Amino acid sequence: KSTGAILTVEEHNVINGLGSTVAEIIAEASISVRFKRHGIMDVFTTSGPYEDLLAYYFLDAEGITKTAQKLLI
């Protein structure tokens, strides 16, 4: 709550993962905070080399950084 924002990052589908658990905790505690789940949306994924997939789904350092910066604006 003191940070003003929470970002969860998962290298898989965001549904029913860490972000969902954190969202439930935030809601049940009635905490007012900006929140974002960062991961793969509910889509069929592609295959390829691990590093390329991280970049494709914005799960590399650059993608995570951009999402965090947007959350803090």
Side-chain angles (χ1 to χ4, degrees), residues 23-44:
E24 287 179 28
I25 293 168
I26 291 169
E28 289 174 358
S30 299
I31 298 171
S32 178
V33 64
R34 286 175 287 167
F35 174 69
K36 173 74 177 161
R37 295 180 300 168
H38 184 75
I40 300 173
M41 294 297 123
D42 192 23
V43 297
F44 289 105

